Amino acid sequence: MRLPVWYETGLNYSVERGEMSMALNESVASLSLENFLPKDGAAQVSLDEVYKALDRLVNTAASKRNINPNELVRVVDNGKVSWITARQAQRYLESDAQSGDGLREKVERALKGDARILHQELRVLLAIAAGTFENLNAEGLIDEKEEERIRPSIRRRESEISDTFTQLYEVEGRISAARARQPLIAEYENCMGQLLNLQSQGKMDEARELARYLAMEKKKYVLMSHAIEPDVYTAYFHRLNAQKTRKKTLNLQQNLCQKKEGVIGLRIDQLHARKETIENRINLADTTTATDLTQAEIALGAKEELLLANHEIKQASDQLAAVQTENQVLVKQEKEAQMVIEHIATNVLKDQELAIDVESQVKNIEQRRKSQPTKPPEKPKTELRGRMATTERHQ
């Protein structure tokens, strides 16, 4: 029996994820994005306000535990923002979300997860990138060419997120209304889910009885579900676009993290040079103390400076470790996003071309348009391509 489109991706995304869940559950601070959603009728707050709210949260939590917030690693995952230590982050990095079950879970969440949470998750990721950029820019660490490239990119991502979810809410509203008018659709799909569970549990007698009921009702279900299938695939297309925006946002934050790594590394080098100078002063003072009593005071002051320099080196090194680990988390998440994109394009929307990077895809579409006359769409898949080209042409 072929599963309906709602069940084609397999596992339920709410399943616990071993080492990954344990690492995030032990966080220094965390925020469920469900609690971060705007109230009914309220407008979305700006990216700057989101970033400042997250900053206040982690600073307060870290202060209570006497931890430097700069030594924590941010992880945005599964509808939650967590701040964890670099050691805890290693457990997250070691979790195998690229396994078959891990990938199915991520695909399931991308296709069926609460759109409001997915929407907010993307805005939080972008707010973090925008806040990181503004901080670096304020410190004079972003040159003019980089600013001209990054700032418009952030605005494009924000526009993409808004456009994608505006369209997604609209189409999923139509789907919900249609399903409410035809309760058999939900009943039939729930029964199919029960059938899968019974089969996995080895309860074959109960499974056969349920399968007979499904066979009797299949014709009605196919007729009813056929009417909403175009909207279902359109919703999947918008959710695919959301994953593409997620990947681009993760990549942007990676680049900013690498910039921070370079800045902190330079700071550590400067501190080590200063430490070496202080040590030379101490050695010189120690060798002349017997003939010049003022050198003893100089040596004492230099030793206090050395303690401060060592403290600053330790802090900078811990901050560098956190930024490097956060970058590793972002690399992992970007790879996972690409795997989700490819899976949805190939196995759900049945069109591998939909997984191609936007820039390459738009270029290919423009080339095809010049080489041959445009034909009206004949199939839902072609219709999706046309809608995709319209949506993504402004990247």
Side-chain angles (χ1 to χ4, degrees):
M1 180 184 296
R2 180 183 180 274
L3 296 181
V5 67
W6 293 95
Y7 280 89
E8 284 184 338
T9 53
L11 298 182
N12 189 299
Y13 70 84
S14 62
V15 66
E16 287 296 317
R17 295 178 293 164
E19 291 294 317
M20 185 181 296
S21 294
M22 288 175 63
L24 299 185
N25 288 339
E26 296 170 1
S27 59
V28 174
S30 65
L31 173 68
S32 170
L33 296 183
E34 189 169 359
N35 299 326
F36 208 50
L37 292 170
K39 302 299 181 183
D40 290 342
Q44 291 275 11
V45 298
S46 69
L47 296 180
D48 182 57
E49 290 175 295
V50 172
Y51 184 80
K52 288 177 179 177
L54 296 175
D55 215 30
R56 288 193 297 270
L57 172 66
V58 67
N59 285 333
T60 300
S63 177
K64 289 179 180 178
R65 297 179 62 168
N66 197 28
I67 295 173
N68 185 344
N70 291 329
E71 298 173 9
L72 298 175
V73 178
R74 279 176 305 214
V75 180
V76 182
D77 183 79
N78 201 26
K80 184 178 179 180
V81 188
S82 303
W83 289 265
I84 56 181
T85 65
R87 181 178 299 177
Q88 290 167 338
Q90 288 303 318
R91 294 171 64 184
Y92 175 88
L93 289 168
E94 290 164 5
S95 61
D96 189 9
Q98 297 183 26
S99 64
D101 287 353
L103 175 59
R104 282 196 296 273
E105 178 190 340
K106 286 190 172 296
V107 170
E108 189 81 1
R109 182 170 184 266
L111 292 178
K112 299 188 198 176
D114 187 333
R116 298 171 310 145
I117 302 298
L118 296 174
H119 185 181
Q120 191 68 295
E121 190 171 301
L122 277 184
R123 294 194 83 251
V124 165
L125 283 170
L126 186 59
I128 289 172
T132 303
F133 164 73
E134 294 297 348
N135 288 344
L136 291 170
N137 196 36
E139 295 174 20
L141 301 173
I142 302 290
D143 63 38
E144 187 175 345
K145 287 185 177 180
E146 285 180 308
E147 183 178 3
E148 290 176 354
R149 176 179 59 83
I150 296 174
R151 197 180 293 282
S153 176
I154 292 172
R155 288 197 293 265
R156 284 196 300 272
R157 298 295 84 80
E158 187 172 18
S159 178
E160 283 173 11
I161 293 170
S162 177
D163 291 346
T164 294
F165 282 92
T166 296
Q167 295 175 78
L168 180 60
Y169 292 143
E170 180 182 343
V171 70
E172 290 194 344
R174 292 200 303 269
I175 294 170
S176 295
R179 289 168 67 84
R181 292 192 300 269
Q182 301 291 352
L184 176 63
I185 295 177
E187 178 186 342
Y188 192 91
E189 290 170 359
N190 286 335
C191 287
M192 291 198 72
Q194 293 174 26
L195 176 62
L196 293 176
N197 289 333
L198 290 172
Q199 290 172 336
S200 66
Q201 295 167 13
K203 299 179 180 179
M204 303 313 295
D205 290 340
E206 296 176 55
R208 278 191 289 271
E209 183 178 346
L210 190 54
R212 281 195 291 271
Y213 165 77
L214 290 171
M216 289 170 51
E217 299 294 322
K218 182 178 180 181
K219 186 174 181 179
K220 292 180 186 176
Y221 169 75
V222 170
L223 287 173
M224 291 178 183
S225 62
H226 183 71
I228 65 171
E229 195 169 81
D231 276 339
V232 170
Y233 278 96
T234 300
Y236 284 171
F237 170 74
H238 292 312
R239 285 172 174 263
L240 172 64
N241 274 345
Q243 291 300 308
K244 289 182 177 182
T245 300
R246 175 184 174 84
K247 180 189 172 188
K248 286 180 283 188
T249 304
L250 290 167
N251 183 264
L252 171 60
Q253 179 63 2
Q254 278 180 56
N255 293 333
L256 293 170
C257 276
Q258 289 165 8
K259 171 76 73 175
K260 285 179 68 176
E261 283 184 43
V263 171
I264 298 169
L266 180 60
R267 170 67 174 156
I268 291 173
D269 290 342
Q270 292 170 340
L271 286 169
H272 276 295
R274 176 183 158 199
K275 176 182 175 180
E276 186 177 349
T277 300
I278 295 169
E279 288 173 337
N280 290 336
R281 284 166 51 199
I282 292 172
N283 291 334
L284 179 61
D286 285 342
T287 57
T288 57
T289 298
T291 57
D292 186 354
L293 294 179
T294 59
Q295 293 298 319
E297 294 182 9
I298 293 174
L300 182 60
K303 287 175 182 177
E304 291 178 354
E305 287 185 52
L306 182 61
L307 287 174
L308 178 60
N310 282 330
H311 177 69
E312 291 179 351
I313 289 172
K314 172 69 166 57
Q315 281 193 322
S317 297
D318 289 343
Q319 184 180 3
L320 179 61
V323 173
Q324 289 173 331
T325 304
E326 182 168 333
N327 192 52
Q328 291 172 14
V329 168
L330 294 166
V331 170
K332 170 187 172 73
Q333 291 182 330
E334 185 185 2
K335 288 179 180 177
E336 291 168 354
Q338 180 59 31
M339 292 175 70
V340 170
I341 289 167
E342 291 177 358
H343 183 93
I344 294 174
T346 304
N347 301 314
V348 179
L349 296 175
K350 310 296 183 184
D351 187 349
Q352 175 60 35
E353 289 187 30
L354 294 176
I356 300 172
D357 288 339
V358 173
E359 290 80 6
S360 301
Q361 193 170 342
V362 172
K363 183 178 179 180
N364 289 337
I365 290 172
E366 292 298 327
Q367 288 176 343
R368 287 200 299 270
R369 183 175 294 141
K370 291 177 181 178
S371 64
Q372 60 186 21
T374 303
K375 296 181 180 180
E378 297 178 0
K379 299 180 181 179
K381 184 168 73 173
T382 309
E383 190 172 306
L384 280 175
R385 284 187 188 171
R387 197 176 286 119
M388 173 197 63
T390 303
T391 304
E392 296 185 338
R393 191 174 295 120
H394 303 292
Q395 302 256 352

